[in-house]
Amino acid sequence: MWALNAALCAAALTTYEFGTRSAAPPTAPILIPWWMFAVMFCVAEITVVHIQFRRDAHSFSLSELALVIGLFFTDPRGLVLAHLVGAGVALAVHRRQSPLKLVFNLANFVVQTSLATTIFARLAPDAAGLGPRAWGAAVAAALIPGLLGVALIFVAISLSHGRPEFRQFPKALGFGLIVTLTNTSLGLIGATVIWANSLAAGLLFVPAATLFLAYRAYASEREKHESLEFLYESTRIIHQSPETGQAMMALLGQARKMFRAEYADLRLLPVVENDPVLRTALGPDEETVVMQAAGSGLGQGVCARVVAEDRAVLVARAHDDDGLGCDVTAIHVKDAMICPLRGETRVMGVLMVVNRLGDVSTFDAADLKLFETFANHASVALENGRLEKSLIQLTELKEQLRHQAYHDPLTGLANRALFTERVEHALERGGRPPQAVSIMFIDLDDFKTINDSLGHACGDELLRSVAARIDGVLRPGDTAARLGGDEFAVLLEGVAEDGAARAADRILDSLRTPISLAGNEVFVHASLGIAATMPGRMRADEFLRNADVAMYVAKSGGKDRYAIFEPSMHATVLGRMEMEAELRAALDSGGLTLAFQPIVSLADGWVIGAEALARWPHPVRGSVPPSDFIPLAEDTGQIIPIGRWVMRQACRSARAWQDIGPEYRRFKVGVNLSARQLQYAGLVDDVAAALSDSGLSGDCLLLEITESSMMRDAEGAVRVLEQLKSMGVGIAIDDFGTGYSSLSYLRRFPVDILKIDKSFVDGLVCGPEESALAKAVVHIGRTLGIETVAEGIEHESQIQRLRAMGCSLGQGFFISRPLSEASMGEFLRARARVRSSATALVRSA
């Protein structure tokens, strides 16, 4: 809208500058001062007829009367100024329009008046009187800008509503055409009278007032017709709607439309004392509430007074009272109408509409009278039809509300409130002899990754499937609950630790079967914590916390397992939480570093690349092993930002090393990807950003993925890897042979390199039987056209055996330990100098 205003202001300045400024003054017998026309325009904008379109109104006035007379009897520039000043006073002071609408209307008026003076000057440049040419010029000067103004108003209304209002446009255009022609004709009669005798101008008051009253009468009859249609349609809706809730919602829609209200609300009072009030509401916008409990009364505000006094109340704008008292908290109440719904023996409830839309008017006494009639129709029809039946069903509704309050809406399991309540009761019951009580906390592993990758709809379906599997392996008397997110809990009464452990095994086994989601087979695992106690020995909150602590221990111990609570676990979990916070701080403050282990060609020992390895030099703990902090980062989700940082740093370093010499132009860097990163929806974007920022070519980046990571979601992994391959990025299977080791997936996945696990390389020095595994991996790679890299080389003899097998690349401590970025650069430069010296020696020989 402000953009439209800016364009309209520019158009106003343009039409004024290139049209009005150059127009010559009229050659009339008299010239009327511009301020008299300003008064006429002000009066015309105060006495307007409003045609409403949803929350906005198109206003029609007698302004063309002043415009036509002004074309003949005042300077064009003065006429534009008069329209701007007169209309501005009326709109700003009398109608109090918002700045947005005020700027639009004033710019629109300047455009219309400037265009009118320009058209009149062009069509009747030398008109010395009031002949047909001047009449035609005046009609065109009033009609064309007037119709343009109607079009601009509909553009503005369509923009403010967010959609075109084409259905109302032809009606407004036709009505505007009739009004403009009528006003223009009266203006020409007035101009003729003034031209002949200026004292006769006062005679124009009577026909002008009569025309204004005719417009008002038309608008009034139109409103009466709409009111009758409104009451008829409301009655029809009540009788045809099959359900009470549907009928009430349709009634509220009718009321909101008829009275142009922001919000409509219907409250049904209870038959039985202390039962809840039932609320049905429509608005703001398209928000709906149907038969919802809303407390046991109407408070102490206007709504309560309406019921007590059994009369309708009009709450005008700028009111100062105690509020409606109906808990209308979603909106700011500016004005309202509230009516009682009268039954045969009592007031059944209240009906209200709140906040008249637009700035044209507020609710008035006529609106209240119509609204009261509407409320009476609604009362009779609802009471005779379905209202009493709905009130009889209140007990059933209360049970439904109680069920909703204590159960998870997604899975149907008990929620946290009901679970906590049942745990408290179990700990209080005891018995003779007292029986143990056990609870289990269950947390899904990597649920966030699955949810982000496949979408929230699939995530919800996964939670429903997990809930069904957990509930399916429990006894009838056990309580399964969803505590929120991907956390579940189970209460086992009369079950000690050993029985809880067996139940935990059943739950974990049930979750190991893959779940089909949107055509994908998804493997989901869980970490489970068990706590057991005897009634009376522990508070419920402490009991629940112990199971939660055990669950964290199970998750940190490798996932897909359970742990039984022990008192020492508190310290373990506290230490894990401290390390988690320190790891987050290290990532934020630059406390992580990268090490690089060179990868060489086994044929000639030349360095062709390096594997990037994350390191955490802790100021107190010392160097924290990756085996400690990488799983922690996986569990907490920090692996995503850590992986993003490793990717960027590794690509920048590799690109810098490529500039050492021409022999390193194709230097590659390998970066490890975890299962969570592979399932992260933004992985491809992160890789693209790292390559773009560093300037590294895609074929110089190698992403290393374990077999188990790829098989976590095989179909999703294929899609991601194919996107990465399209960027030229290489894919390596890390620790090949230690996971699924399936030849079929090697054909499905776009793999470039197989990395032989260190355990196979160690076997090369043990004998022919152990070395056969490494030889088999090399043979597989050669058969499929995939390059092989041996990891963990620690002896010269291993290199000789690998070279004999046909393995092309290798890395390990025998070649070089992982180096810092600076040391890696020196390592590469030293190798380059040795190679250069050897080359020079050969040439000299």
Side-chain angles (χ1 to χ4, degrees), residues 116-182:
T117 57
T118 303
I119 292 173
F120 186 75
R122 296 294 185 272
L123 296 181
D126 55 352
L130 286 172
R133 182 175 183 180
W135 297 343
V139 171
L143 187 60
I144 295 174
L147 297 181
L148 175 63
V150 173
L152 286 173
I153 288 172
F154 267 86
V155 170
I157 291 175
S158 298
L159 286 176
S160 65
H161 292 169
R163 61 170 182 253
E165 298 287 346
F166 293 128
R167 290 196 336 182
Q168 300 292 344
F169 182 68
K171 295 180 181 179
L173 195 63
F175 188 72
L177 178 63
I178 294 172
V179 169
T180 301
L181 288 175
T182 304

Side-chain angles (χ1 to χ4, degrees), residues 3-24:
L4 177 62
N5 281 353
L8 204 53
C9 289
L13 292 174
T14 303
T15 52
Y16 178 81
E17 182 68 25
F18 295 101
T20 304
R21 282 178 62 91
S22 60

Side-chain angles (χ1 to χ4, degrees), residues 744-826:
S744 62
Y745 84 75
L746 284 179
R747 296 205 322 269
R748 294 177 59 200
F749 292 107
V751 177
D752 301 290
I753 289 178
L754 298 180
K755 300 197 76 173
I756 306 172
D757 186 66
K758 182 180 183 300
S759 61
F760 297 165
V761 175
D762 290 342
L764 294 175
V765 297
C766 298
E769 193 170 305
E770 289 76 5
S771 64
L773 293 173
K775 189 174 183 179
V777 175
V778 174
H779 180 69
I780 290 171
R782 185 186 305 114
T783 302
L784 298 177
I786 300 175
E787 202 167 20
T788 52
V789 179
E791 295 184 291
I793 298 174
E794 296 182 350
H795 306 284
E796 172 68 28
S797 60
Q798 292 172 327
I799 293 181
Q800 294 173 358
R801 287 179 176 270
L802 289 166
R803 189 186 296 136
M805 292 177 184
C807 180
S808 54
L809 303 173
Q811 65 184 98
F813 284 3
F814 180 77
I815 298 166
S816 173
R817 289 179 175 273
L819 304 171
S820 66
E821 183 178 8
S823 299
M824 184 68 190
E826 288 299 322

Side-chain angles (χ1 to χ4, degrees), residues 49 184 339 494 621 713 718 786 789 803 837:
V49 176
T184 302
C339 284
R621 301 175 189 265
D713 176 13
V718 168
I786 300 175
V789 179
R803 189 186 296 136
S837 299

Side-chain angles (χ1 to χ4, degrees), residues 526-538:
S527 299
L528 195 149
I530 299 173
T533 189
M534 301 300 289
R537 290 188 183 178
M538 193 176 295

Side-chain angles (χ1 to χ4, degrees), residues 49 62 206-220:
V49 176
L62 297 177
V206 173
T210 302
L211 184 61
F212 169 72
L213 292 175
Y215 290 157
R216 278 289 174 90
Y218 167 78
S220 176

Side-chain angles (χ1 to χ4, degrees), residues 633-709:
E634 277 272 301
D635 292 343
T636 61
Q638 294 186 67
I639 194 66
I640 301 299
I642 289 175
R644 187 181 299 120
W645 172 80
V646 170
M647 188 86 63
R648 289 178 179 269
Q649 291 297 113
C651 288
R652 289 193 187 109
S653 299
R655 180 64 189 88
W657 293 328
Q658 288 178 347
D659 292 335
I660 292 176
E663 57 270 26
Y664 292 124
R665 283 176 184 166
R666 306 310 304 165
F667 187 89
K668 299 177 183 290
V669 65
V671 176
N672 291 284
L673 286 185
S674 69
R676 193 157 191 166
Q677 287 176 276
L678 188 59
Q679 293 177 319
Y680 170 54
L683 173 64
V684 175
D685 291 337
D686 286 350
V687 173
L691 293 173
S692 175
D693 292 347
S694 63
L696 187 70
S697 174
D699 59 359
C700 292
L701 174 63
L702 185 69
L703 298 180
E704 303 185 10
I705 309 165
T706 64
E707 298 168 276
S708 57
S709 297

